[in-house]
Amino acid sequence: MLIGEVARYSGVSARMLRHYEALGLVRPTGRTGAGYREYADEDIRRIFHVESLRSLGLSLREVGRALDDPGFAPSELVEDLIRQSQGRIAAETELLTRLRRIGSAEPAGWQDVLQIVALLQALGSHSPGTRQRAALSSASSAEEAPVPVEALVEAVLGEADPIVEGALRWALARSGDGGLPLLARGLGSPVAEVRRRAVRSVAELPGGEATALLREALADPDVAVRRCAALELGARGVADAVPTLVDMVVEEVNDVDAADALSTLAGRPTLADRITGLLVERLAHSAAQPSARRRLAQALADIPGTTASDALTKLSHDEDRAVALTATYVLGMREARADGP
C-alpha cells in the first residue's frame, strides 16, 4: 500500500508518516520499482499502535520506547501521565471557575475585567493582610466594578484568619443576599469549621431566607454552629432559639449575650412564661453547679411577669448564699424598675 493510500486509510497525513519514518517509529517495508514507499499490513498495524499511544498523551519518544524496548514497564509511565492529566484538569478547572466568576459579575468593559482579576488574585494570596485589603476594597469599589459574590463566599468559607474572615463577612453582607444559596451549601459541608464560617456569614444577612437557614442551623451536630444561629435568631425574635440560649447561660458560653437575647424574646407575652419555665427547670437540675444557678438567676432579671418574680423570690432563700444574694439583688432591680423614676 502506497503512502497516499495509507494516509487515507489511517487518517495520518503523509507528512506525519514521513516524520514517523525520520524518527524511526514506522518504516515502510519496501519500495516500488519507481522508488515509492510501500507499507505492509504489519506497518499499518504499527501506525495504529503509534496513534493509540499518542492518544494517551505519550510523546513520540515515549511511544518509540514503548514499542521497541522489550523491558519497558508501562505502569510507571501511566501513573506519570495520570498525574500530568490531573494537573492539567486542575489548571483548566481553575481557569474555568475564574472565567465563570468574571462572567457572572457582568463586567461592562475590560477595565472591570482587570479589576475583577486583580481582586481574585488578591483573595487567593498567601498574605492575610493582602486578603483583608482585597475584602475591604471589594466592598468599597462595588459601585465601580461588580464583585463576583461566589469568590467572596468561597474565600470566607475557607478563611482561617478570624480578622480576614470578619472583613470578608462584611464585604459579603454589603454585596446583598446573592451569596445565600452558596452559603447554604457551606452549611451542608461535612467540615464543622466550614459550617461555622457559613453560619457566621448568614447571621450578617437580613431577610426571611437567611432566617430560614439559621433555623436549620439550630439542628446542626456542631454546638458552635447551633449557638451562633441561636444568638442571631434570638435577636430576630425567633422562639426556636430559646432552648439553645438557655443552654448557653448554663454552660457560660456567651452567657451575657444569650441572656440579652432571652430578654428580647421575653418581650413577647407568649414567650415570657415559657422562657421562665425553662430557666426554672434548669435551676432545678443545676443544684450541684452554684455558678450556673447564679447565671440563671441573673437571666431572670429581665424576664417580665409574676412567674419570674416568684422564681426569684424562692431563690432569694436558696441554701447557696451567692445564689440567694444574686436573686435578692435581681429582685431589687426589678422592683426599682417597676416603681419607675
Side-chain angles (χ1 to χ4, degrees):
M1 190 179 292
L2 299 181
I3 190 169
E5 296 174 292
V6 172
R8 287 192 298 273
Y9 180 69
S10 65
V12 181
S13 69
R15 181 177 180 181
M16 184 59 73
L17 289 172
R18 293 189 187 96
H19 184 55
Y20 286 171
E21 182 180 351
L23 295 174
L25 283 174
V26 180
R27 293 187 179 91
T29 300
R31 296 267 180 171
T32 66
Y36 294 110
R37 296 171 176 81
E38 191 170 36
Y39 292 83
D41 290 345
E42 184 60 33
D43 300 329
I44 294 173
R45 280 195 291 273
R46 171 96 174 185
I47 291 170
F48 282 120
H49 290 162
V50 170
E51 291 302 298
S52 296
L53 292 175
R54 283 189 67 199
S55 72
L56 297 178
L58 274 71
S59 67
L60 291 177
R61 184 174 183 179
E62 290 167 334
V63 168
R65 285 181 56 214
L67 293 176
D68 298 330
D69 184 355
F72 180 79
S75 58
E76 183 177 343
L77 179 58
V78 169
E79 287 299 320
D80 186 52
L81 290 171
I82 290 173
R83 286 191 294 271
Q84 292 177 25
S85 296
Q86 289 173 332
R88 287 195 299 272
I89 290 171
E92 290 296 321
T93 301
E94 181 180 350
L95 175 59
L96 179 60
T97 299
R98 181 173 298 184
L99 289 171
R100 281 176 173 166
R101 287 174 179 169
I102 293 172
S104 67
E106 300 181 353
W110 283 112
Q111 187 60 39
D112 285 353
V113 171
L114 293 174
Q115 289 183 10
I116 294 169
V117 170
L119 170 64
L120 295 177
Q121 291 174 337
L123 288 175
S125 170
H126 293 295
S127 165
T130 300
R131 298 196 302 274
Q132 182 184 15
R133 287 191 294 273
L136 298 176
S137 67
S138 71
S140 62
S141 63
E143 296 180 358
E144 301 176 9
V147 179
V149 175
E150 182 182 350
L152 289 176
V153 172
E154 180 180 330
V156 77
L157 293 182
E159 182 55 63
D161 188 297
I163 297 176
V164 180
E165 183 194 339
L168 287 165
R169 291 202 309 270
W170 177 76
L172 188 58
R174 287 176 60 89
S175 69
D177 59 1
L180 276 174
L182 300 170
L183 290 172
R185 294 182 201 170
L187 285 171
S189 169
V191 182
E193 187 53 47
V194 172
R195 300 199 304 276
R196 293 170 194 166
R197 294 172 189 141
V199 75
R200 289 194 290 264
S201 297
V202 173
E204 303 266 354
L205 300 172
E209 189 177 350
T211 300
L213 288 177
L214 292 169
R215 284 178 185 268
E216 293 178 16
L218 284 176
D220 195 274
D222 183 75
V223 66
V225 173
R226 298 197 301 271
R227 288 168 175 165
C228 180
L231 283 174
E232 180 58 27
L233 286 171
R236 298 184 186 206
V238 178
D240 294 350
V242 170
T244 302
L245 293 171
V246 172
D247 288 341
M248 293 172 67
V249 172
V250 173
E251 294 159 15
E252 201 175 5
V253 179
N254 293 109
D255 52 296
V256 175
D257 293 333
D260 287 342
L262 288 171
S263 174
T264 299
L265 288 167
R268 294 166 55 184
T270 55
L271 282 180
D273 285 348
R274 179 187 169 191
I275 293 171
T276 300
L278 283 173
L279 291 171
V280 170
E281 180 183 342
R282 296 306 298 271
L283 277 162
H285 290 85
S286 302
Q289 303 175 25
S291 60
R293 299 179 74 238
R294 288 196 297 273
R295 290 192 297 276
L296 288 165
Q298 290 168 348
L300 283 166
D302 294 317
I303 310 299
T306 57
T307 305
S309 295
D310 292 344
L312 286 166
T313 299
K314 184 177 179 180
L315 284 172
S316 67
H317 303 290
D318 195 89
E319 294 180 357
D320 185 285
R321 179 169 174 76
V323 173
L325 289 172
T326 299
T328 300
Y329 174 75
V330 170
L331 273 172
M333 289 179 56
R334 289 169 66 91
E335 292 172 357
R337 286 201 300 267
D339 292 339

